[in-house]
Amino acid sequence: MQLPPEEESRLTINIVPMIDVVFAVLAFFILSTLYLTRDEGLPVNLPTATTSESQEASLTLTITAEGDLFLGQQPVVLEALYDEVQALVPPGQSTMVTVRADAATPHGQVVAAMDRIRTIDGVRLGIATQQP
């Protein structure tokens, strides 16, 4: 019995699975870096302060120069501010609320918003400024 001659099989490297893995890792890093940015609220011209310190804020209240209020990115009216913040504060935990008021915002508007938030248990207030 005579066996047929064996063909020499060419060794090949299949790189398609490696490309799939590289693209999966690349997609992971791209998506994960999107969540590394802090939620700063809406763009406003912050007042300057030489003694400002960096703090971690879990909620951001932005007050524009016109006096409009935004909790995060959502608009809110002054009368509903207490209920909106209360709904976002976990019970029994301390939450930092940073007030980002434009430099041209009337002082009374900032005080009125802070007064509403101050009555919520477990809420600490901070005022956002920028270094000169």
Side-chain angles (χ1 to χ4, degrees):
M1 169 184 224
Q2 191 172 10
L3 296 173
E6 287 187 29
E7 294 180 15
E8 280 190 36
S9 62
R10 294 186 62 198
L11 295 176
T12 60
I13 298 175
N14 190 0
I15 63 168
V16 174
M18 183 180 70
I19 292 173
D20 290 341
V21 169
V22 168
F23 279 126
V25 170
L26 180 65
F28 169 77
F29 282 113
I30 289 173
L31 291 175
S32 63
T33 56
L34 293 175
Y35 295 103
L36 293 178
T37 60
R38 291 187 348 200
D39 183 21
E40 294 283 333
L42 300 174
V44 291
N45 295 324
L46 295 174
T48 58
T50 56
T51 60
S52 63
E53 298 176 9
S54 179
Q55 300 264 333
E56 286 294 321
S58 51
L59 289 176
T60 303
L61 175 69
T62 304
I63 306 174
T64 63
E66 295 80 28
D68 299 326
L69 300 169
F70 293 88
L71 192 57
Q73 300 289 332
Q74 303 300 321
V76 64
V77 294
L78 184 62
E79 292 76 24
L81 183 61
Y82 177 88
D83 296 328
E84 294 285 335
V85 173
Q86 181 72 36
L88 296 173
V89 173
Q93 292 184 0
S94 178
T95 302
M96 178 71 161
V97 176
T98 301
V99 178
R100 299 185 76 242
D102 192 284
T105 303
H107 183 69
Q109 183 75 14
V110 177
V111 171
M114 291 177 66
D115 191 45
R116 301 264 171 127
I117 296 172
R118 188 178 298 141
T119 58
I120 302 171
D121 289 333
V123 170
R124 297 178 300 135
L125 283 172
I127 298 175
T129 59
Q130 64 182 357
Q131 292 282 339

